[in-house]
Amino acid sequence: MSHDVPLLERLAQLPAVPVAHILSLLERMGRPDQDPLLARLVGVDEEGERVISPLVAAVVQHLQRDPESTCYQAMIEALTGIWNAAVRAAAVAHLRAAGLPPDDLLLRLGALSPTLGFAAERREWVREWLADPVTHDTALVEQCLVRLLLAVRGMAEARAAALTESGPL
């Protein structure tokens, strides 16, 4: 049995890294396509120039709304969004396999768990989601993955600085 502390516990013990750290890191980074965590977030436009995915800009804009938040909080929010999408998909698959009609399915989903997000949303949104859950939750998961990658990269940068500034290797 390993005596390693679980990853989330180790990350929670790190000093708080403000999300502003991610933003300044992105500004300083000359070639994000050379970073193993961020390379997939960089594409090429029609002129052959490297461009960051528009999804990154949307996530960065969201992160800028709360400059007091931390990379750890952003990481937990991202994992929570991914988890909720996975549980929603599994719950819908189970209920549809049981033969529940759509209206009963809506009621049952709303009653199952407030963390699935159905209780907080408008009924119209839930109906739209039920009509095409893959499209709706794929967009959520993609946004969460970008947030997760940025948060982990920001925390890793802070950890690397602490490791390399503490003396000779």
Side-chain angles (χ1 to χ4, degrees):
M1 175 78 54
S2 173
H3 294 282
D4 285 343
V5 177
L7 176 63
L8 288 177
E9 196 173 316
R10 283 186 286 154
L11 293 175
Q13 292 172 5
L14 291 174
V17 178
V19 294
H21 187 77
I22 298 170
L23 306 175
S24 69
L25 175 65
L26 288 172
E27 289 173 5
R28 291 190 321 264
M29 197 177 278
R31 296 277 314 262
D33 60 319
Q34 298 297 309
D35 185 280
L37 289 180
L38 306 180
R40 292 256 180 198
L41 304 178
V42 178
V44 178
D45 66 11
E46 296 83 28
E47 290 89 39
E49 298 292 319
R50 286 181 198 86
V51 293
I52 300 249
S53 163
L55 193 52
V56 174
V59 170
V60 165
Q61 186 179 29
H62 176 79
L63 292 173
Q64 287 173 329
R65 289 184 193 144
D66 187 6
E68 300 299 316
S69 67
T70 66
C71 291
Y72 187 76
Q73 288 170 311
M75 183 184 68
I76 295 298
E77 285 177 12
L79 290 172
T80 301
I82 293 166
W83 174 253
N84 286 345
V87 173
R88 275 193 299 266
V92 167
H94 283 265
L95 293 173
R96 282 188 173 154
L100 248 68
D103 284 340
D104 291 344
L105 186 64
L106 279 173
L107 293 171
R108 185 82 185 271
L109 285 171
L112 283 177
S113 173
T115 61
L116 292 181
F118 292 112
E121 293 293 341
R122 297 179 332 275
R123 191 162 178 83
E124 299 81 37
W125 180 90
V126 176
R127 284 188 187 282
E128 288 173 21
W129 182 90
L130 266 178
D132 190 7
V134 173
T135 299
H136 285 79
D137 276 351
T138 297
L140 169 68
V141 169
E142 287 175 350
Q143 181 266 348
C144 287
L145 287 171
V146 169
R147 184 186 305 211
L148 179 63
L149 290 173
L150 292 176
V152 168
R153 185 60 177 90
M155 292 173 76
E157 186 72 18
R159 178 69 176 142
L163 287 172
T164 57
E165 292 170 3
S166 63
L169 298 175

